[in-house]
Amino acid sequence: VRIHRVRSCSSIGFIKSKYVCVFDESALKFSHSQRLFRTSAVSCGQIVQFKLSDIGEGITEVTVKEWYIKEGDSVSQFDSICEVQSDKASVTITSRYDGIIRKLHYNLDEIAFVGKPLVDIEIDASKGVAPEEDVVETPPMSHEEHTHQEIKGHKTLATPAVRRLAMENNIKLSEVVGTGKDNRILKEDILNYLAKQTGAILPPSPKAEIIPPLPKSETVPAAPKDKARKIPVPVSRPIVFSGKDKTEPVTGFQKAMVKTMSAALKIPHFGYCEEIDLTQLVQLREELKPLAQLRGVKLSFMPFFIKAASLGLLQYPILNASLDESCQNVTYKASHNIGVAMDTEQGLIVPNVKNVQVCSVFEIASELNRLQSLGSAGQLGTNDLTGGTFTLSNIGTIGGTYAKPVILPPEVAIGALGKIQVLPRFNGKGEVFKAQIMNVSWSADHRIIDGATMARFSNLWKSYLENPASMLLDLK
Amino acid sequence: MVLLSLLKKCLPLSCILRTPKAGFRSTTSGGLIIQSVSNDVYQNLAVEDWIHDHMDLENRQVLFLWRNSPAVVIGRHQNPWQECNLRLMRQKNIKLARRRSGGGTVYHDLGNINLTFFTARKKYERVANLKLIVKALKALRPQLDVHVTDRYDILLERQYKISGTAAKLGRAAAYHHCTLLCNADKVVLSSVLKSPYKGLKSNATPSVPASVKNLFEEDPSLTCEMLLDAIAKEYAMQHQIDNHITLINPADETALPGINDKAKELRTWEWLYGKTPKFSISTCFNMVYKGSALDVKVNMDVKHGRIEVCNINLPEQWLPPALCSELVKGLTGSKFCPEETTTLATTLLRVCPQDDELHSKWNLLCENMITLM
């Protein structure tokens, strides 16, 4: 099939005006400078049987292992069609044609034969349609081009000052319409041209740009009229975006999140936020970090936060409780299994450190190390992920100051820790000093926990962390 | 080791790769020997992809030499659950990789060398490549009894497999790669290549198990370096090029533009597990709870690595049926993966009655379900 594109369009415009917009094939026959394209010949496409080509090494049979396309898909030349396998060799079969897949000759795992048809492709017929559109579009463009050439033919007259101005602004004098004597280019012409380039002052229309050189007497009144016409009009261009929505089912990790959060929704949350001065804790951790390292354990701030929380839970056990479905009974949990929210590649998981009430800070740190390495390898067991009674979420490692954490059922409280910032604060003597400040945001189940309890727990937790030595008094 | 790498000149690869016909000063015909400086299986497989996709092999052939840290490499159309012990691999931190060529499963470690022969598709010829290797080995150690079989294996003493082969053919280019056991850990090899997963039914390409031996066992003086050099020397001779090994860094985006994306794709779950042909599992396991034994039957259909259909048959009333159906519902559509199953199962516990006995039964069931994956 040969598709002849229409050439040198100016005469089409001529014909068009003669035949009043009716695009008649017969009209074209009279214009000998064009060649016709056939609109009727390939309208329903030609089916080609694409045969499986030689694999080499004398192989005659292969197994079809994967189809990359299905019937009805359109393919371009060199697109992958399928993967076949023979004798430890995997072969990618690519298309030799542009077209639409009409038939697959084999199913998966079937034996395919070299030299026999693999797929039927309908060769692309749509190419025949395009030139028609081209022809309709070209008349105005060609007209502009023609006139433009006329302008180019003239010698461009301009004073040296005007030439310099044009050169400084990278303007080709041949592109500027001169409104001065003998079509001389004036300074105003350069400025108008510039304004058009930068501000899109005039709506783009081919005819508007090609103002044929006017006789001098008409130029002067024309200039102010031109200026009056140049009111800033924003050009509205249709914004073209070819992205597509993508819908996927909710599975796996996301499904788990949906379940947890839907259950959490039933809990009336109330929030309580506080600011903690960690200046002393920061110093303490610096001292203890190398000692822990010697014992093979990485010491972060979390073990301190966790231990302080457990000490607080000893005084306010209702925060370590669970409310049953019917809200009839509250169970005070004996173990402090404190969960630590972890962000993995897959999503949020919350393993917990068991029995924090009988663990030392070092033991907590060691256990956290274990959970963290298992978590990043995706190997946490069910035991590590169940049985939690209270949760801390260290969102501050990613960022943020205050948060509104969601309680993880069947627990009744959760704390979100923001990032540690260095901020100016006043000390007891009224002096400004550098303080290491972290914000904590608590959420609690308002059905069994009241504001006062939460506030007192928070104050106690805060006091342990602001003055770490005080933890020594209450450590068991 | 240091001396040998000094002998390998490092030519600017970018000019060689972008102007295949020019830029390689000392060759007469088109031939190039390259060696990877990385032991990362995904990066090295990405180099193969890159050369296959981007290099003009019409008038040139390439030999690529590489070694990997411990990894199990399955063929394009294979089922990892059928081929290897994924559980053990996770524990031992042995990577799983899926290559783009066909064939069976192999174990790689630093005692194994990999050789890839790149040619134009028309010049694809595996037997010639394997004969080249045998010639090189015999030149190095004339007493070695090695030969090529019609299954494209290389056997030592007519019985032990020392090399396995696979190939990939594209539109214009092709490659044939093979392993060569020098000094690999045979104990780990046999333990990871034995699948513990029962009741699997699938049309995936099965591997053919074989007895293997290391060349090192025949001759303890042999090292991987010696084998690589001998093969490079023979290749250079047969292709009439200088015996020149160019080192390449698979992480170098400027020399190999787009390579990091290729390596990334090879690491994705979708490629490693999602490309597994459809399969089904029909199995049962035995659980012991408080002195009594229970039989649990599980049937699952897995497509694209995700559970399409799931049936769990438990003794009646051992667990609340509503909870069990929640588990089945949750598993359907999820990845056939221990991580997702654990997350789902533990989340379901949050929204059911807080009963210690229920929790321990549930955890027992889930731990057992996870062993299937």
Side-chain angles (χ1 to χ4, degrees), chain A residues 53-55 57 59 65-66 68 78 83-92 94 109 251-253 255-256 259-260 263 322 325 333 344 346 349-350 375 378-383 385-386 408-411, chain B residues 76-77 90 100-103 121 124-126 151-153 165-171 203-205 275 306 326 329-330 332-335 339-340 342-344 346-351 354 363 366-367 370:
Chain A
S53 53
D54 185 32
I55 308 282
E57 291 182 336
I59 292 165
K65 283 307 212 176
E66 188 173 347
Y68 294 122
F78 304 144
E83 198 75 23
V84 301
Q85 183 169 258
S86 152
D87 218 2
K88 306 183 190 180
S90 187
V91 191
T92 308
T94 54
D109 290 322
T251 58
F253 263 77
K255 224 178 202 173
K259 276 212 168 337
T260 314
S322 190
E325 280 274 303
K333 300 279 181 175
T344 64
Q346 322 293 337
I349 47 166
V350 191
Q379 289 178 32
L380 283 166
T382 47
N383 202 36
L385 292 168
T386 54
L408 300 169
E411 297 166 22
Chain B
R76 174 75 174 79
H77 309 288
R90 282 179 209 122
R100 291 192 192 272
S101 57
R121 169 122 173 211
Y124 165 71
E125 175 55 83
R126 288 183 282 186
R151 279 201 78 242
Y152 309 105
D153 292 336
T165 265
K168 172 95 194 76
L169 286 85
R171 194 176 43 81
N203 281 331
T205 315
K275 280 292 182 187
R306 286 173 186 272
E326 277 298 315
K329 233 174 38 181
T332 310
S334 297
K335 293 179 184 168
E339 226 188 319
E340 283 215 356
T342 309
T343 311
L344 259 163
T346 51
T347 307
L348 282 172
L349 269 189
R350 289 188 181 280
V351 296
Q354 299 307 300
N363 281 349
C366 293
E367 291 285 330
I370 285 153

Side-chain angles (χ1 to χ4, degrees), chain B residues 53-219:
Chain B
D53 291 347
H54 298 297
M55 249 179 115
D56 177 3
L57 295 163
E58 204 52 40
N59 297 306
R60 120 181 304 156
Q61 305 197 348
V62 181
L63 173 65
F64 175 42
L65 311 167
W66 42 300
R67 284 195 286 163
N68 297 319
S69 52
V72 170
V73 184
I74 59 175
R76 174 75 174 79
H77 309 288
Q78 291 200 299
N79 181 330
W81 289 278
Q82 209 175 25
E83 299 298 331
C84 51
N85 191 337
L86 292 169
R87 227 182 298 144
L88 184 63
M89 284 161 63
R90 282 179 209 122
Q91 282 169 24
K92 283 184 174 286
N93 222 359
I94 295 174
K95 298 180 197 169
L96 174 72
R98 180 188 294 267
R99 56 180 193 263
R100 291 192 192 272
S101 57
T105 302
V106 284
Y107 171 73
H108 290 187
D109 68 17
L110 291 171
N112 167 72
I113 64 176
N114 300 301
L115 311 155
T116 312
F117 297 85
F118 291 91
T119 59
R121 169 122 173 211
K122 299 185 220 74
K123 300 210 184 96
Y124 165 71
E125 175 55 83
R126 288 183 282 186
V127 174
N129 298 334
L130 294 169
K131 286 195 165 146
L132 188 155
I133 297 170
V134 164
K135 188 154 176 249
L137 291 176
K138 288 210 162 122
L140 193 59
R141 293 284 184 274
Q143 79 280 14
L144 279 175
D145 175 10
V146 284
H147 82 284
V148 184
T149 71
D150 53 12
R151 279 201 78 242
Y152 309 105
D153 292 336
I154 299 180
L155 293 185
L156 179 63
E157 289 155 11
R158 313 264 139 185
Q159 39 174 323
Y160 300 108
K161 186 168 166 177
I162 58 167
S163 166
T165 265
K168 172 95 194 76
L169 286 85
R171 194 176 43 81
Y175 62 82
H176 157 220
H177 54 198
C178 57
T179 55
L180 190 60
L181 287 172
C182 177
N183 186 12
D185 189 332
K186 282 199 322 193
V187 173
V188 175
L189 187 154
S190 46
S191 63
V192 294
L193 293 185
K194 208 197 310 210
S195 164
Y197 306 106
K198 306 268 179 286
L200 283 172
K201 246 199 266 184
S202 122
N203 281 331
T205 315
S207 291
V208 176
S211 305
V212 296
K213 201 173 185 187
N214 280 309
L215 283 168
F216 175 83
E217 292 173 60
E218 268 304 291
D219 183 342

Side-chain angles (χ1 to χ4, degrees), chain A residues 249-397:
Chain A
V250 174
T251 58
F253 263 77
Q254 279 181 328
K255 224 178 202 173
M257 277 280 266
V258 169
K259 276 212 168 337
T260 314
M261 296 307 153
S262 302
L265 207 59
K266 299 185 191 136
I267 305 172
H269 286 51
F270 87 90
Y272 180 91
C273 302
E274 178 63 282
E275 182 184 282
I276 320 281
D277 183 348
L278 294 180
T279 312
Q280 287 192 31
L281 185 65
V282 167
Q283 208 181 332
L284 178 65
R285 181 181 157 250
E286 279 309 303
E287 290 171 17
L288 296 178
K289 229 168 57 167
L291 291 175
Q293 200 60 52
L294 282 174
R295 296 193 214 167
V297 164
K298 198 170 148 222
L299 184 69
S300 63
F301 286 104
M302 277 311 268
F304 298 99
F305 297 153
I306 292 170
K307 189 58 183 173
S310 173
L311 292 176
L313 291 172
L314 288 172
Q315 307 302 320
Y316 301 98
I318 193 148
L319 289 158
N320 197 54
S322 190
L323 187 59
D324 70 4
E325 280 274 303
S326 54
C327 302
Q328 301 276 346
N329 296 298
V330 177
T331 308
Y332 294 84
K333 300 279 181 175
S335 302
H336 298 171
N337 298 336
I338 300 187
V340 179
M342 253 182 223
D343 177 45
T344 64
E345 264 176 36
Q346 322 293 337
L348 172 72
I349 47 166
V350 191
N352 56 83
V353 179
K354 300 274 193 292
N355 293 306
V356 176
Q357 75 278 6
V358 295
C359 290
S360 65
V361 171
F362 177 78
E363 283 165 342
I364 298 167
S366 173
E367 180 62 4
L368 268 183
N369 279 188
R370 185 187 75 88
L371 292 172
Q372 267 152 358
S373 57
L374 284 178
S376 46
Q379 289 178 32
L380 283 166
T382 47
N383 202 36
D384 291 325
L385 292 168
T386 54
T389 58
F390 182 89
T391 301
L392 285 176
S393 168
N394 197 357
I395 193 75
T397 49

Side-chain angles (χ1 to χ4, degrees), chain A residues 167-231:
Chain A
M167 192 179 71
E168 278 167 5
N169 289 283
N170 278 320
I171 297 169
K172 279 199 206 136
L173 284 173
S174 55
E175 280 167 29
V176 182
V177 176
T179 57
K181 181 185 175 179
D182 294 330
N183 306 319
R184 200 175 298 245
I185 296 172
L186 305 172
K187 188 176 166 194
E188 289 88 2
D189 299 329
I190 302 279
L191 294 173
N192 286 337
Y193 181 91
L194 264 176
K196 253 191 278 174
Q197 298 296 313
T198 53
I201 288 165
L202 285 176
S205 105
K207 296 237 166 70
E209 308 225 282
I210 313 308
I211 304 159
L214 297 165
K216 194 196 170 183
S217 54
E218 289 180 66
T219 309
V220 176
K225 232 205 280 176
D226 271 339
K227 283 201 176 106
R229 259 217 301 260
K230 282 157 191 151
I231 301 158

